[in-house]
Amino acid sequence: MAAVPNEVVQDVETEKQHFQDVFESFAFYREYATRRLNKVEQNASALPVHHLAMLQPDFGERLGMLRTAVDVNYSFVREMLQSSRDIFVNSSVSREDPMDGSTDVPTGCASSGGASQGADLRGNQAAPAVRTAAVQEEGATSFNMDKVITTLRQFYRDWSKEGQPERDACYRPLFSELLKCCPLPREGYQPPRVLVPGAGLGRLAFDIAQQGYECQGNEFSMHMLMASNFILNRPADSPQLTLHPFVLQFCNNLSSSDQLQQVLIPDACPAAIGCKAGNFSMSAGDFLDVYTEPDQWDCVVTCFFLDTAHNPLAYIECIEKILVPGGHWLNLGPLLWHWSDIDGEKSIELSYEQLRRVIVGNFQFTMLKEESNHRGGYIQNPRSMMKTVYDSVLFVARKSTSAGAMHPGQTVASAQKLRGRRS
């Protein structure tokens, strides 16, 4: 038997380590959140006595309810992790299992409960010890914990009734354009093949498949992959789960209850709704590495995706390659450029004007429709006193049916001239 190359072994070990780190970051959620709440309590306890008295009893009661809400969220996370231990080959948890020895947590609703242990500031009770197991912290980096919080809020956006307005602002325009450029065929005919890169928790891709298209979502983030695996494969008879998506948002709360708002996940169970056999799938991996075969997809739908690229030109090039001649590219989103200003990361930041010029001038695309000022948020707290609203661009582009429409030699020559001027 031939030996496995060292590079392959190293890649497998790197992937296993990454999965372990992501798993541990989720498992660390309750300890992370409890430390944040302990800091709130410590800061309040340091106030002058007469100032602290002004805040009571509401402050202590609210802190107790926040602790209960964290426990409810951790119950949600534990159930997700139980379903995610072995979702990838060679990726089962290998270090001391961070879930072992964890105590059960409440599954009820924090907004209807009272104060929990440690809620009485300067009383007879001290702040509670962290009740999680001795979770290893190797994977609980600041970066990973930010991802954990973002992923929990993504459940709110994609799989709650309360997230419907945010979804409608982004998904409905894309659904409308998809039906126009790729109408569904009559019964018995092959439906158009649609790809959704950057699928997150899979709601957009699933809803497209539910309409009758053959749709595949693609996602690179391991945090998102674990979460989407959980929600998309949840049994049809499973009860809805309670989640408090904004429990760690301490700023811009108009009411104390806003921080405790709860949602039920999912608002629609994929297993109960179902799609036609073979119509829906998810793939894991980097978009540029996974999709290399030309002329495979009738339509590519990108939603809040283009600005995740280190090099957006590579994304455009790949989309052009994998679309069939005459295929369509639908895009909606801002240009936040996720890697901008991050040390050690390369990032090409273009204006929409520059991006458009490249799309129509250097690739086989014709713009069929462009609309600006599609206003919408992304995992925004609807009750917050501060919200980020994006004025996104929607465009519909069609790949030429003629192979002669592309001029790759001209593109290369232009790049060589640019490099020559800089040397």
Side-chain angles (χ1 to χ4, degrees):
M1 181 181 295
V4 178
N6 287 335
E7 303 84 39
V8 174
V9 173
Q10 291 174 356
D11 288 344
V12 170
E13 289 303 313
T14 299
E15 286 300 312
K16 289 175 66 176
Q17 178 66 58
H18 179 53
F19 177 85
Q20 177 75 31
D21 289 345
V22 171
F23 192 98
E24 288 180 352
S25 67
F26 276 116
F28 197 71
Y29 168 78
R30 185 166 62 177
E31 184 160 346
Y32 172 84
T34 302
R35 290 179 182 180
R36 179 67 179 91
L37 296 178
N38 286 347
K39 179 182 178 182
V40 171
E41 183 167 8
Q42 290 162 8
N43 290 344
S45 297
L47 289 172
V49 174
H50 67 290
H51 286 171
L52 181 58
M54 296 176 188
L55 300 179
Q56 298 294 26
D58 293 349
F59 189 87
E61 291 173 355
R62 171 173 166 265
L63 188 57
M65 289 190 285
L66 290 175
R67 293 189 188 279
T68 303
V70 166
D71 281 348
V72 171
N73 283 359
Y74 188 61
S75 179
F76 182 100
V77 169
R78 278 177 57 85
E79 190 158 344
M80 183 185 73
L81 292 182
Q82 291 290 348
S83 72
S84 303
R85 292 173 182 269
D86 299 299
I87 59 175
F88 301 110
V89 177
N90 297 323
S91 295
S92 59
V93 178
S94 56
R95 293 199 289 261
E96 180 183 348
D97 194 337
M99 299 297 292
D100 288 347
S102 296
T103 57
D104 291 334
V105 296
T107 56
C109 163
S111 59
S112 62
S116 66
Q117 291 184 5
D120 293 332
L121 301 174
R122 289 188 180 172
N124 295 323
Q125 289 181 303
V130 175
R131 287 167 286 170
T132 50
V135 179
Q136 297 188 41
E137 297 189 36
E138 286 92 332
T141 62
S142 176
F143 178 83
N144 277 341
M145 295 315 299
D146 285 345
K147 288 285 189 181
V148 168
I149 304 304
T150 298
T151 303
L152 293 180
R153 293 186 177 185
Q154 191 80 27
F155 277 107
Y156 155 80
R157 172 184 168 88
D158 263 7
W159 293 103
S160 79
K161 180 180 68 175
E162 291 77 5
Q164 185 74 50
E166 200 173 275
R167 294 197 299 273
D168 286 347
C170 299
Y171 297 171
R172 276 193 176 181
L174 293 169
F175 286 142
S176 176
E177 296 303 327
L178 179 61
L179 287 169
K180 292 175 186 176
C181 66
C182 294
L184 288 166
R186 290 177 296 172
E187 187 70 28
Y189 288 82
Q190 184 71 22
R193 302 186 71 219
V194 181
L195 176 65
V196 180
L201 299 195
R203 184 61 183 261
L204 175 59
F206 178 80
D207 284 352
I208 289 174
Q210 190 189 356
Q211 295 300 315
Y213 293 92
E214 181 182 336
C215 188
Q216 182 171 98
N218 167 250
E219 181 56 51
F220 177 71
S221 165
M222 186 67 73
H223 287 86
M224 293 292 183
L225 288 167
M226 290 176 65
S228 62
N229 171 75
F230 168 61
I231 203 69
L232 293 170
N233 294 295
R234 190 166 171 76
D237 59 352
S238 300
Q240 289 179 301
L241 298 174
T242 300
L243 184 68
H244 299 267
F246 307 110
V247 67
L248 295 183
Q249 178 178 316
F250 290 91
C251 299
N252 290 302
N253 291 310
L254 189 62
S255 167
S256 296
S257 62
D258 292 346
Q259 196 172 356
L260 290 163
Q261 60 186 293
Q262 66 178 36
V263 297
L264 294 176
I265 306 294
D267 65 318
C269 180
I273 298 171
C275 297
K276 291 183 179 179
N279 267 22
F280 175 67
S281 61
M282 288 284 289
S283 71
D286 186 284
F287 170 63
L288 297 176
D289 295 333
V290 174
Y291 299 96
T292 58
E293 293 296 318
D295 305 337
Q296 295 295 308
W297 300 92
D298 298 296
C299 185
V300 174
V301 178
T302 53
C303 183
F304 281 68
F305 175 70
L306 267 182
D307 57 2
T308 67
H310 290 275
N311 173 12
L313 305 185
Y315 275 13
I316 300 168
E317 193 170 55
C318 181
I319 291 169
E320 179 203 54
K321 179 179 180 180
I322 64 178
L323 278 173
V324 299
H328 291 81
W329 174 18
L330 314 182
N331 176 78
L332 188 147
L335 296 177
L336 183 61
W337 303 122
H338 290 216
W339 301 103
S340 179
D341 300 323
I342 296 181
D343 291 341
E345 296 290 349
K346 296 179 180 178
S347 178
I348 303 298
E349 299 103 13
L350 304 177
S351 67
Y352 177 70
E353 180 184 41
Q354 292 172 305
L355 200 65
R356 185 194 187 283
R357 180 177 57 78
V358 169
I359 291 171
V360 300
N362 299 89
F363 294 93
Q364 302 181 65
F365 285 116
T366 301
M367 284 289 182
L368 303 181
K369 182 175 184 176
E370 295 177 272
E371 292 179 352
S372 58
N373 298 321
H374 273 265
R375 296 175 66 82
Y378 195 90
I379 59 174
Q380 292 295 299
N381 181 351
R383 302 182 192 174
S384 175
M385 297 168 68
M386 185 185 77
K387 302 177 184 69
T388 298
V389 178
Y390 295 101
D391 285 332
S392 296
V393 172
L394 168 71
F395 69 70
V396 179
R398 183 176 61 203
K399 179 179 173 179
S400 172
T401 57
S402 171
M406 184 173 59
H407 306 285
Q410 180 179 351
T411 302
V412 172
S414 299
Q416 289 174 340
K417 289 180 180 179
L418 178 62
R419 294 191 187 100
R421 286 197 298 269
R422 287 177 176 172
S423 59

